[in-house]
Structures are given as structure tokens and as C-alpha cells.
Amino acid sequence: MFLLTLYQKSYYSVELFMYKQVINYNCRRFGMFKCCSRPNRHTEDYCFPSPQLDELYLCNSNNKEEINTNIINRKGVGDINKVLQLHDELRLQPDNPSIKCSLTKEMLKIPNRTHPEVMNYGEMPHIVKFLGDKKHFNFKPNEFHTITKKLNLLRNDLSNFTGHRSYFFTGQLAEMESALIKYSLSKLLDNGFQAVSVPDILDRAIIESCGMETQGTRSQVYSLSPEHYENDKCLSGTAEMALAGYLMNKELSQDELPLRLAAVSRCFRAETSRTSDERGIYRVHQFTKVEMFGVSEPEKSSELLEEFREFEERHFASLGLHLRVLDMPPHELGAQAYRKYDVEAWLPGREMWAELSSCSDCTDYQSRRLGIRCGDTHLHTVNGTACAVPRLVIALFETHQQPDGSVLIPPPLQPFMGNSSVISKDTTKHIPRLRPIKRQTLKS
């Protein structure tokens, strides 16, 4: 298992404990990966790999202008001047560990390169194509929240229960969530993907190796209390990170490539948006997602990305949605992506486009940090979303709503919902309606 071994104080000397604390302090200080955790009697020794960054490219002054332009266009962090300065210092003091750590720290901040076509997009995405027909109604279509309220299928007024951006699905809406997961996973298995069940608690270093910020005001990652979880644990925001961690330190053979993995997991995100377009369950703190993850030889990752995109297009089109596919501009790529496509669905109730999924080619950004190789070659990683439940059910309910308030179930989902063809009002009496209440302070 790729999760770090928990340190058991009772099995080690005080000297060993102090040694590990000093080493981990220096690793955190200089942005390096944690050193090996010591084995206990229950688990075997394990360590994070040292990042094998492309120093020939990053530390070449001839690439300075190109790298700096890429940083500016992607609106990311990173200072190529610091990288080059530290590289010069290291040439004068090659055995200085502090300079080595600082150089690695600064190189880790540099974002992935950007596909040449994408560099010309400016601030706006490029529309690749439209799929499906926009549905026309002979009545004014309602929003998802209004539909589900009338059908008694959703509870998200939970400010005094689980906080904002949370929800309960009930009745046939809960059945549709399960149906979407089963349908999506079955299609992935038919397309040669291997199913993997992943953990939701990951080490911080794995998440950061995938290109996600875990600290600071911009982070959407939930960090777990160090009083209860050792070794900097966090809640996973997507199964992509667990699948990448699963392959950490792995040397794959050519016969295994391209490797296609699929996982169903809960995703935890500290979302903060308060725009009206993202009301309701559009952006939530916890949801279920079916993730695709691929590993390929370097020259074949663009081909694998197109395969993932085409799967998403066919998959969502099979559910009767009107779609558009976008090739995203540099500032939407994050730190890790070389190229990223978004697939959006038209929401008739809200009269807006909404992102259903994305797929990204991360080239060797993640594999160099996690040691995913074939021989001496760092492989390329590709990821994509096959199903993110909240937004997908919003699109399905708004697209397939009927004048009487019911919702038609797309034919591919019907076998997974007891062969029902329509969602009608849930008249179950034992599910209470939750109402927010004001907190009261008890007097002593």
C-alpha cells in the first residue's frame, strides 16, 4: 500500500524518534519529499521517491523566456530566475545540501509546459464541437432545485446539520446516483479499464505531487488534524491522486501500456464560491465521482487524452444531453496539465452551460514526482471524469423534465433503476423535512 507507514513510538528509541523529526522538519522546510518511514512489526518499510525533475530543461538559461512566459500565461507560481540563480550557486558549491534542497523546491513550483496550440488561445477557451440537440420546451423549464423540491427528493437546507454545500438525496434521486455510478463503471470496464478501489485519506506529499495546493488561502484541500493523524494526512479531492499514488515507485513494462484505471470515490473539496450560478448542489464539499486514470509512453499520451475525451462525449451524449467541448486556455490548466478539455452540458432551467467533466494530459509532471517509469523513461499520465454526480443529475433533471413535474429517465439508466422510465413525486412519509433553526446558547 502506498500510504506511509504510521510511526509507532513504542517500538523505537528516543534517538530514532528525534532523528525522524529533524529529517521531516528539513524536508518540510525545503519543500522536499519525506524520507523513509521506519518499519514497524505490522508493515514494511516505504518511502517517497526523490523528484526526478527535468533539470536539463529547467536549468538551461536558453529556456528562461519560454518558461517565464508560460508561468505568466498560466497565472501560476514559480520563479525561473530563482531556479537559475540557485543552479549557478550549486555549481560553485556542489556539496551544499541547503542549496540542493532550495533548488528542488523552486523547480517544483514551475508549472508543466503548455501545448503550443493552447498557448495561442489567450483568455478564452477554444470551442471544439457541439453534441446533441438543444431541447425545446412548450413550457418554461424549471431549475433542478425547484424540480426536486416538488418531487420531494432533495434536502440541502442543512446549515445546522452538516453546514452549507451539503445534501441528502432521497428516493429515486438516490437511485439515480447509484445508477449513474454503475452505468459509468460498466462502460469503462467495457472499454478496457481496470477497476481499483481507493482510499479517501492520502498523505499530503501525494496530493502535492499531483500538482494540487494543500495549504494557503487558495487551497481546496481538507487537512486532517495532526493530533489524530500522523504524517500530514488530507482528504482526497479526486481519485486521480489516489490512483497516481497507487502507481508510485512502480516500473511498468511496455506490455502493460497504455494502462487504464477506473475508480469510484467520494471527493472532498473546501469550495468557497458564492456566485449565484453555482447555487444549490452545483458546487459542494463532498460528492461521488467516477474517475479515469491512464499511463502511457510519452509519445502516446496525446492519443490517450483524445480517447478519454471521446469516451466522455459518447458517455454523456448517450444520456440525451446537449453538450459542448472546450479546449481550455493556459490559465485554466493548473500546475500539472499540458492540455485540458472540458465537457459542458446545457442547463435549460438555469439557461447556462455547466462543466460536467474534464480530461487532462499531464505528460511527465506527476510521474517525475512519483517515480512512475518504464525502464529509464518517465511515463505520461492522463486523467478524466466519467461521472461527477451532482452536476450530472442537475443536467439530467433539467433536460428531461416534463410539464407535470416528473422527469424521464434516460434509457441507458433504466436497467439500473428497476426498469423505471420516469421519476415521479416521492410520497414516502418517513423521510422528514429538515428545517434550519437558530442556535440558542444554554444558560448555566
Side-chain angles (χ1 to χ4, degrees):
M1 198 64 185
F2 63 83
L3 292 179
L4 276 179
T5 305
L6 293 179
Y7 179 75
Q8 303 292 328
K9 293 183 186 178
S10 59
Y11 301 139
Y12 304 108
S13 65
V14 173
E15 289 80 5
L16 178 56
F17 174 72
M18 292 303 296
Y19 168 81
K20 184 175 180 183
Q21 301 313 305
V22 171
I23 291 296
N24 282 341
Y25 167 77
N26 286 325
C27 289
R28 290 193 300 269
R29 179 185 176 193
F30 296 118
M32 299 291 288
F33 288 88
K34 294 176 186 171
C35 299
C36 290
S37 56
R38 300 297 178 181
N40 61 33
R41 65 182 182 183
H42 303 296
T43 56
E44 60 186 37
D45 188 29
Y46 200 81
C47 66
F48 283 96
S50 297
Q52 302 296 312
L53 304 178
D54 190 355
E55 294 186 31
L56 290 178
Y57 173 73
L58 294 173
C59 297
N60 186 339
S61 59
N62 293 329
N63 300 324
K64 175 182 174 180
E65 184 176 347
E66 175 186 318
I67 295 172
N68 194 54
T69 300
N70 187 43
I71 292 172
I72 294 171
N73 287 343
R74 294 174 73 128
K75 295 180 169 58
V77 297
D79 189 337
I80 189 58
N81 292 316
K82 271 190 181 180
V83 170
L84 296 174
Q85 176 188 338
L86 289 165
H87 183 254
D88 289 339
E89 292 178 12
L90 188 60
R91 284 191 297 184
L92 299 175
Q93 305 179 60
D95 297 323
N96 189 316
S98 177
I99 296 177
K100 287 181 181 179
C101 287
S102 296
L103 176 59
T104 300
K105 176 183 176 181
E106 293 303 323
M107 287 194 295
L108 285 168
K109 293 179 182 177
I110 304 297
N112 199 354
R113 298 186 225 191
T114 303
H115 191 286
E117 289 183 28
V118 175
M119 287 293 287
N120 299 322
Y121 291 166
E123 297 287 319
M124 299 301 295
H126 169 69
I127 299 177
V128 178
K129 65 171 71 171
F130 290 91
L131 295 164
D133 298 322
K134 184 182 289 188
K135 187 174 180 179
H136 297 284
F137 297 84
N138 56 10
F139 62 95
K140 180 176 175 53
N142 289 312
E143 292 187 25
F144 174 79
H145 180 76
T146 301
I147 301 169
T148 52
K149 184 176 181 180
K150 291 179 179 178
L151 295 176
N152 192 30
L153 297 174
L154 173 70
R155 301 286 182 271
N156 68 331
D157 48 347
L158 309 176
S159 57
N160 294 97
F161 186 70
T162 61
H164 297 292
R165 301 190 184 279
S166 301
Y167 59 87
F168 281 101
F169 288 167
T170 61
Q172 288 179 291
L173 179 51
E175 291 181 42
M176 177 171 278
E177 176 178 41
S178 178
L180 285 169
I181 295 168
K182 292 176 181 177
Y183 174 59
S184 300
L185 189 58
S186 69
K187 299 304 290 184
L188 288 171
L189 295 178
D190 290 343
N191 280 267
F193 283 77
Q194 303 173 45
V196 180
S197 181
V198 299
D200 294 327
I201 297 176
L202 300 177
D203 195 277
R204 186 183 304 278
I206 290 176
I207 297 175
E208 292 180 347
S209 296
C210 291
M212 320 295 181
E213 294 184 14
T214 65
Q215 302 184 65
T217 56
R218 297 177 61 185
S219 174
Q220 295 182 344
V221 176
Y222 284 105
S223 298
L224 300 182
S225 171
E227 297 179 7
H228 303 289
Y229 296 89
E230 294 189 59
N231 295 325
D232 267 352
K233 295 296 188 291
C234 301
L235 293 179
S236 173
T238 169
E240 168 198 343
M241 297 180 285
L243 291 170
Y246 175 72
L247 296 172
M248 184 169 64
N249 286 331
K250 295 285 175 57
E251 183 174 342
L252 302 174
S253 67
Q254 286 188 329
D255 293 340
E256 297 176 276
L257 302 174
L259 182 65
R260 301 174 181 86
L261 303 178
V264 180
S265 74
R266 295 293 277 176
C267 303
F268 302 86
R269 301 182 184 180
E271 301 283 9
T272 58
S273 173
R274 288 183 170 83
T275 63
S276 60
D277 286 343
E278 297 179 346
R279 57 191 175 275
I281 67 165
Y282 185 89
R283 194 176 292 278
V284 290
H285 291 313
Q286 180 179 345
F287 62 96
T288 303
K289 182 156 73 83
V290 183
E291 182 74 1
M292 303 181 287
F293 190 81
V295 182
S296 76
E297 295 169 292
E299 63 274 12
K300 296 182 178 179
S301 63
S302 59
E303 179 182 331
L304 190 60
L305 175 66
E306 297 302 317
E307 178 187 316
F308 278 29
R309 176 176 66 83
E310 290 169 4
F311 174 87
E312 291 176 347
E313 293 172 2
R314 294 193 308 271
H315 185 52
F316 299 129
S318 73
L319 299 174
L321 300 174
H322 178 48
L323 308 166
R324 73 175 181 182
V325 182
L326 306 177
D327 195 358
M328 302 307 289
H331 71 276
E332 295 283 357
L333 300 182
Q336 67 276 29
Y338 175 69
R339 188 172 203 169
K340 180 168 80 112
Y341 293 112
D342 278 6
V343 180
E344 297 184 334
W346 176 253
L347 305 183
R350 298 194 185 196
E351 297 186 321
M352 60 174 275
W353 291 100
E355 179 193 339
L356 290 184
S357 71
S358 64
C359 54
S360 303
D361 180 359
C362 298
T363 62
D364 60 358
Y365 182 94
Q366 296 172 335
S367 64
R368 284 183 174 276
R369 289 158 170 77
L370 292 170
I372 306 172
R373 297 174 296 107
C374 177
D376 295 329
T377 301
H378 288 92
L379 298 171
H380 284 196
T381 59
V382 177
N383 65 78
T385 301
C387 169
V389 169
R391 294 187 190 177
L392 190 49
V393 296
I394 291 174
L396 291 173
F397 268 60
E398 293 195 10
T399 298
H400 300 303
Q401 61 182 296
Q402 302 299 298
D404 63 357
S406 64
V407 176
L408 296 180
I409 301 173
L413 297 182
Q414 293 176 14
F416 301 95
M417 297 183 66
N419 293 316
S420 297
S421 60
V422 65
I423 294 176
S424 53
K425 185 171 184 179
D426 187 349
T427 58
T428 305
K429 299 298 184 183
H430 66 270
I431 301 177
R433 183 175 295 278
L434 300 176
R435 296 182 183 277
I437 60 173
K438 292 183 178 180
R439 296 183 182 274
Q440 294 182 350
T441 303
L442 297 177
K443 294 182 180 180
S444 56

